[in-house]
Amino acid sequence: MVSVLIKNLAYRVILPAGLLCAAIIRPSLVSLVYGVLALLCLLLPAITAVSGVRGSTRMYLLGALVYSGFAALLQVAYQIYAVSSQSMEQYTKNCNSTSEYWLRQVGFIRAHNDHPGQSARVILPEVIALAVSVVGYVLCVVLKHEPPSIGDAHAGDGHHEETSFGRGRQRSTTDQTRSSSAAIFPVLKRLSDILLVLLAAVVGGIQPSLLNSVYFIAFLVVATWWALYTPLHRHTYNVIKRLLTGYSALHLVAIYLYQINFIQSALSPKSLPARLVGLSAITSSQCETWWRLDFTQATPWNIFVNPALVLFFFVYVTVQFEATKHGVKRLPADREVGDDDGSSVHEELLPRDDDDDVFRTPVASAAVTSDEGLNDTASSSHSVDRAKIVRLLSVSPLDQSMVTNGITDFLAFVLYHCYAAALLTMMIWALLYHSVFGLVFLVVTCVLWIAPNTRKVCFTVSPVLLFYVE
């Protein structure tokens, strides 16, 4: 039997990584399917001990195995045909013929006898794709996985002689560990929501173009939403994540397609439409050196970083969505048996107040007053921040430990003083970039610093400042 961890490692890591490497080594139409299969793997449900391998996962693994095997057979057949039909000199002379040109675009390229190392990229994609597909199918489908663990509830049946002191100490240690985990995981999930939006801004700015502008527009929309103190409901945020996931996958496919030679011939990388859309040639292949894949000369560094960053964004959004689509208030160990997607329980089942099913930034949370009508003073605002953090951590006041108290105090301090970081950023920008735009920042910052209640005024004018920056 194979453990579920090994199955998920082969299914979630080894298989997509191998398919992605097979696609990158030899840009072609056959290899494009490898890349699509790698992206699709991350969108399918994970393998769990309770539900096992789902039907969609079985169909995907079988499809990847059949396609990679069929492509490997065609590649071997073509190499035999190319060697037996014409010599190396004749192939070089006829490399620009219509049939040979389109065979290279599809992915059937003859290996060069004098350059075995560089020619390895011709057949290596099929070898890698077939190997990882076989490993993934055998481990996940053919071999049975270990049955679900009953848990530690019956682990102590044979230890009835244990003293009450030992049981109490073990229970205390377990409760303390669980309390610490319950405090850390919701905070990390909430921070991952914020990091996703910041990462969208980075992807949108790495290569200014129409394709990358979608990420930057998404960042501006969510940031404006937060600045207006408008609750961002979980289901709305999930819709945004789904849209960004689908778009980033299509973006990766567009970048990959443009690396194929006939696409670059139809739309030159130096043309205005290509530069406006954001299609850049990273690789090139010439007829005289058909066995070799070269990188384009004098290419800016951001052109190489952009595809890697978009791929990282796709993986991050996919993993983060699976971890937080039902909320942030349950640990992985709290998943209910029979949950359709293996995620935590629905957030509406959790004890919370009316605004716990919405997502706010730390800045917006610090600016919200309590339902009981507390005045916007330093003490009341700090109490509201601390109360919201305690509700986020889902820890009872009686179960708070040194770790949870430390996290609560630290987050409350950061939330209360986060406005100062915004003002300092505006001042630094104005001092580094001398312009009328920066002068407005400097004047506004000075006025806010001398206000009687800087924090309150800063939160009040933050929507106006955001619109000015946008």
Side-chain angles (χ1 to χ4, degrees):
M1 292 186 179
V2 182
S3 65
V4 178
L5 178 62
I6 298 299
K7 287 194 172 188
N8 279 300
L9 181 64
Y11 165 55
R12 288 291 200 181
V13 179
I14 297 178
L15 180 59
L19 293 174
L20 193 62
C21 290
I24 295 175
I25 292 174
R26 187 197 59 207
S28 60
L29 295 179
V30 172
S31 301
L32 173 63
V33 181
Y34 295 147
V36 173
L37 289 174
L39 299 179
L40 185 61
C41 181
L42 299 176
L43 301 178
L44 294 175
I47 300 174
T48 61
V50 178
S51 60
V53 184
R54 298 171 183 269
S56 58
T57 304
R58 292 175 181 270
M59 292 297 298
Y60 166 80
L61 293 172
L62 180 61
L65 178 61
V66 171
Y67 179 81
S68 59
F70 183 68
L73 290 176
L74 291 180
Q75 188 65 243
V76 172
Y78 173 77
Q79 296 300 326
I80 296 175
Y81 164 77
V83 172
S84 60
S85 62
Q86 55 185 343
S87 63
M88 193 68 64
E89 291 77 12
Q90 291 176 337
Y91 183 85
T92 304
K93 183 179 179 180
N94 299 328
C95 68
N96 273 331
S97 63
T98 303
S99 59
E100 296 296 341
Y101 175 80
W102 282 107
L103 281 174
R104 289 199 305 273
Q105 308 310 307
V106 173
F108 299 107
I109 308 171
R110 178 173 178 172
H112 201 292
N113 299 333
D114 299 333
H115 302 276
Q118 294 178 341
S119 297
R121 76 174 189 92
V122 175
I123 59 176
L124 198 57
E126 277 67 40
V127 175
I128 297 176
L130 182 59
V132 296
S133 298
V134 170
V135 171
Y137 187 81
V138 171
L139 289 179
C140 298
V141 178
V142 177
L143 299 179
K144 296 181 179 180
H145 63 272
E146 294 179 353
S149 177
I150 301 177
D152 298 330
H154 304 287
D157 290 345
H159 302 280
H160 295 292
E161 299 85 2
E162 186 181 15
T163 62
S164 59
F165 174 76
R167 290 195 300 269
R169 183 174 59 180
Q170 183 179 6
R171 187 182 302 109
S172 177
T173 304
T174 303
D175 294 342
Q176 191 174 28
T177 303
R178 182 164 182 79
S179 177
S180 301
S181 301
I184 294 174
F185 275 95
V187 174
L188 293 179
K189 289 183 178 181
R190 188 74 77 177
L191 291 178
S192 68
D193 278 331
I194 301 173
L195 182 60
L196 187 150
V197 181
L198 297 179
L199 186 59
V202 175
V203 177
I206 190 67
Q207 184 182 358
S209 60
L210 292 179
L211 288 176
N212 291 69
S213 64
V214 175
Y215 307 100
F216 195 74
I217 292 175
F219 161 74
L220 293 180
V221 169
V222 177
T224 305
W225 203 326
W226 287 340
L228 296 176
Y229 308 146
T230 304
L232 184 58
H233 292 269
R234 178 60 55 180
H235 65 84
T236 304
Y237 202 26
N238 288 340
V239 171
I240 296 176
K241 293 177 186 178
R242 291 192 186 100
L243 293 177
L244 289 176
T245 301
Y247 180 80
S248 58
L250 295 177
H251 190 183
L252 287 171
V253 171
I255 293 175
Y256 185 87
L257 275 174
Y258 197 70
Q259 308 313 310
I260 305 177
N261 188 258
F262 79 93
I263 302 291
Q264 297 181 13
S265 300
L267 184 62
S268 174
K270 298 181 180 180
S271 63
L272 178 61
R275 291 186 286 112
L276 186 64
V277 173
L279 299 175
S280 303
I282 302 176
T283 61
S284 63
S285 179
Q286 303 299 328
C287 176
E288 296 77 11
T289 56
W290 77 88
W291 65 88
R292 191 174 65 192
L293 184 66
D294 299 321
F295 293 100
T296 54
Q297 301 294 328
T299 303
W301 64 271
N302 63 317
I303 302 301
F304 292 96
V305 175
N306 182 52
L309 198 58
V310 175
L311 177 61
F312 176 77
F313 180 81
F314 172 81
V315 176
Y316 180 83
V317 175
T318 304
V319 175
Q320 202 273 343
F321 173 76
E322 286 297 324
T324 62
K325 63 182 179 181
H326 292 317
V328 299
K329 290 189 175 183
R330 280 293 183 269
L331 300 178
D334 291 334
R335 295 174 179 174
E336 291 186 347
V337 176
D339 192 10
D340 292 342
D341 48 18
S343 300
S344 56
V345 296
H346 293 273
E347 204 169 23
E348 63 265 23
L349 301 180
L350 303 176
R352 62 174 185 263
D353 58 0
D354 293 336
D355 65 345
D356 272 348
D357 60 342
V358 301
F359 174 59
R360 301 179 186 270
T361 59
V363 176
S365 298
V368 177
T369 58
S370 64
D371 297 334
E372 287 78 8
L374 294 175
N375 296 325
D376 191 11
T377 61
S379 59
S380 63
S381 181
H382 184 75
S383 301
V384 171
D385 292 340
R386 186 178 179 86
K388 286 183 174 292
I389 293 171
V390 171
R391 287 197 297 270
L392 170 64
L393 300 181
S394 299
V395 179
S396 173
L398 299 178
D399 297 333
Q400 289 185 2
S401 62
M402 183 176 63
V403 176
T404 57
N405 285 331
I407 295 175
T408 302
D409 293 338
F410 174 75
L411 292 179
F413 177 82
V414 172
L415 292 182
Y416 185 79
H417 296 283
C418 61
Y419 72 97
L423 296 180
L424 291 175
T425 303
M426 294 165 58
M427 293 182 65
I428 294 174
W429 178 279
L431 295 176
L432 290 179
Y433 302 98
H434 298 170
S435 62
V436 177
F437 182 83
L439 179 62
V440 174
F441 270 160
L442 185 61
V443 173
V444 171
T445 305
C446 294
V447 173
L448 291 177
W449 278 123
I450 64 176
N453 192 339
T454 303
R455 185 174 183 275
K456 177 181 178 180
V457 177
C458 184
F459 284 129
T460 303
V461 302
S462 61
V464 180
L465 291 176
L466 180 66
F467 284 124
Y468 175 72
V469 173
E470 293 175 347

